[in-house]
Amino acid sequence: MQTPPETLTAVILAGGQGRRMGGRNKGWVEYRGRPLIEYAIERLRPQAAQLAISSNTDIDRYRALGFPVLTDSHPDYRGPLAGIAAAFAAFPDHEILCAPVDAPELPRDLERRLRQALEAGTAPAAIAHDGERLQPLFGLLRPVLADRLDRELARGALAVGRWFRDVGALTVDFSDQPRAFANINTPEDLQPSPPGP
């Protein structure tokens, strides 16, 4: 596997409000005997030179894992793009590879495939598509987006998919591994799948 460039930082987006999980921070929800944050670290850490966690709660608990914890600069919740903005602020001039904490089977080749698409053109970002729907929180963003993101977040929360469309992000086909994007949103999602017929 190729060594990731020093200016590539992976960020686990763990700052959601977890409303459908009763307000729990989803990174610490256990799935198959392990907290979701462990799956995210295991899969994302090898794909970048360094890793950080974006969260506004359980900060000390996340820091104990040995990675920087990034908090949003806005006092009100402005969505996952605020976590990406915090990553750009903490790692100036770095590319940001992001993924949400609640997808325990996220692609192990996420960075490689997104990069192949980016390097083929001049787009500022590449995001995943699972074959059925856009998965914009699985993305690779160039630092040229940092200032624009800050300016637009200053006006309020942004719709993630729309924002990536507006900045001209490329869409990368991951329809060969749609299960990689299955996320844990509710307590029901934590239950093992029933056996097939």
Side-chain angles (χ1 to χ4, degrees), residues 94-116:
H94 280 217
E95 291 179 316
I96 301 299
L97 175 69
C98 61
V101 74
D102 60 2
E105 297 180 47
L106 72 90
R108 296 184 189 274
D109 59 353
L110 182 68
E111 189 274 340
R112 179 181 63 80
R113 293 169 68 167
L114 295 176
R115 180 168 302 284
Q116 284 176 346

Side-chain angles (χ1 to χ4, degrees), residues 174-188:
F174 280 83
S175 58
D176 58 317
Q177 47 178 316
R179 280 195 54 77
F181 301 93
N183 60 346
I184 305 296
N185 274 321
T186 67
E188 289 72 31

Side-chain angles (χ1 to χ4, degrees), residues 9-23:
T9 297
V11 178
I12 299 169
L13 300 171
Q17 295 177 306
R19 287 193 186 102
R20 287 182 283 176
M21 277 288 181

Side-chain angles (χ1 to χ4, degrees), residues 46-104:
Q47 300 188 49
Q50 52 274 317
L51 181 138
I53 299 167
S54 166
S55 184
N56 299 305
T57 60
D58 290 332
I59 293 169
D60 290 340
R61 196 176 182 191
Y62 279 127
R63 280 199 184 116
L65 296 172
F67 302 99
V69 179
L70 313 176
T71 58
D72 298 353
S73 61
H74 302 280
D76 57 328
Y77 179 69
R78 299 203 179 179
L81 286 170
I84 294 172
F88 277 131
F91 299 94
D93 301 317
H94 280 217
E95 291 179 316
I96 301 299
L97 175 69
C98 61
V101 74
D102 60 2

